[in-house]
Amino acid sequence: MKYFDSHAHYYDERFCEESEKGADGILGTLFSSDVSGVVNVGTSPESCRLAAEQAKRYAGMYTALGIHPSDALFIKEPMEEALLLIEGMISDKSNKCVALGEIGLDYHYDNTDKPLQWKYLEAQFDMAERLALPVVIHDRDAHGDIMAAVRNFPRVKGVFHSFSGSAEMAEELVALGYMISFSGTLTFTNARKPKEAAAVVPTDRLLIETDCPYLAPHPKRGTLNHSGNLVYTNRVLAEIKGIEEEECAILTEANARRFFGL
């Protein structure tokens, strides 16, 4: 079986710090065995540059380029300059950009600047609409506000990555034209809400991801995550949907290629 990792961060320093192989060693093995595609997702102008440089080295790696809500607080340039940098990277075809992201809202931390996050989110929704690009949405402890933002931009479609909302939220997003992606959190024993959501999402709207190097699935929880661990997320998703693992891998790969225009 071949898996398509719809959301990863292979430029992250953890790959150098925690693996003798480093990201390139891991990717070389994965692309020759279990993985057919990876979307390498940037979160700031600098990480977008790193993600694009890395993607150029692999035929099966693509990019999503954007500014993460938590990164917005630490960007030195004025917002307009930062977004111009992102748009310039998106327009460079050699960067293999297939979506604008990772964008969204993250209310998890005490130092959250909600007005700043909203400014970046709305500006990037505007950019996605203008460039006719899908978006990759990050939503952490902000379900109500992120749904309000999505409803404000009905012409923009996208994917909610590492979905953590309710089944009802998933059903509304599907009705609005969104894809739903599940990470290793789907395999956790306490993952009641993601499992309930996965059960109601139509099979043509499902994606799987790692969010690596984070969110390693059970039984690898707490270790350095990579796309080879998609086997565990795929297995649980197949069980929830009542289909064979191979069928689940095939359909999520096909969904990813259709959604990202590959």
Side-chain angles (χ1 to χ4, degrees):
M1 287 183 285
K2 292 279 190 178
Y3 304 100
F4 195 107
D5 190 346
S6 67
H7 194 110
H9 306 279
Y10 274 105
Y11 52 83
D12 194 285
E13 292 179 355
R14 282 187 61 187
F15 286 105
C16 291
E17 295 169 352
E18 300 178 35
S19 172
E20 292 182 1
K21 293 182 177 181
D24 285 326
I26 293 171
L27 285 165
T29 300
L30 291 172
F31 277 125
S32 64
S33 55
D34 300 330
V35 176
S36 66
V38 172
V39 178
N40 209 23
V41 182
T43 63
S44 67
E46 175 59 15
S47 66
C48 285
R49 183 185 65 79
L50 294 173
E53 286 181 359
Q54 202 168 35
K56 292 172 185 176
R57 301 199 290 270
Y58 301 96
M61 181 177 275
Y62 310 90
T63 65
L65 306 176
I67 296 177
H68 188 288
S70 296
D71 286 54
L73 187 64
F74 304 103
I75 291 174
K76 297 176 182 178
E77 303 93 345
M79 185 182 76
E80 292 76 11
E81 284 185 32
L83 293 178
L84 279 174
L85 288 172
I86 295 297
E87 186 167 352
M89 285 186 272
I90 289 172
S91 65
D92 183 344
K93 300 302 182 184
S94 71
N95 288 331
K96 301 162 68 177
C97 182
V98 295
L100 202 162
E102 167 180 4
I103 69 173
L105 297 171
D106 191 321
Y107 293 170
H108 183 71
Y109 300 102
D110 292 338
N111 66 343
T112 295
D113 186 335
K114 292 183 181 180
L116 181 65
Q117 289 193 12
W118 269 95
K119 285 181 181 178
Y120 270 92
L121 178 60
E122 291 182 326
Q124 289 180 100
F125 263 120
D126 281 333
M127 188 191 302
E129 187 171 37
R130 179 163 46 81
L131 299 179
L133 272 177
V135 291
V136 177
I137 298 291
H138 172 98
D139 164 32
R140 191 178 189 191
D141 298 338
H143 300 328
D145 280 358
I146 201 69
M147 288 303 297
V150 165
R151 296 184 196 109
N152 285 340
F153 291 89
R155 288 190 291 273
V156 178
K157 307 306 176 188
V159 55
F160 268 64
H161 103 89
S162 190
F163 189 75
S164 61
S166 66
E168 293 76 16
M169 180 178 172
E171 287 178 318
E172 181 176 356
L173 286 168
V174 167
L176 291 169
Y178 276 73
M179 306 289 285
I180 308 295
S181 181
F182 293 97
S183 67
T185 58
L186 187 69
T187 70
F188 297 171
T189 56
N190 62 346
R192 178 182 59 83
K193 286 178 66 177
K195 287 182 170 70
E196 291 174 350
V200 303
V201 176
T203 55
D204 66 342
R205 298 297 186 88
L206 291 168
L207 298 175
I208 56 174
E209 63 171 272
T210 57
D211 199 20
C212 68
Y214 312 102
L215 301 183
H218 176 79
K220 302 290 186 177
R221 194 170 181 178
T223 66
L224 181 73
N225 199 12
H226 58 75
S227 303
N229 288 332
L230 286 172
V231 60
Y232 302 106
T233 304
N234 183 76
R235 182 174 297 156
V236 172
L237 184 58
E239 291 173 359
I240 292 169
K241 304 307 288 185
I243 59 179
E244 296 296 323
E245 289 180 46
E246 184 173 8
E247 181 182 355
C248 192
I250 290 171
L251 72 87
T252 52
E253 179 189 21
N255 290 346
R257 294 192 179 281
R258 183 186 71 253
F259 172 70
F260 291 117
L262 302 174

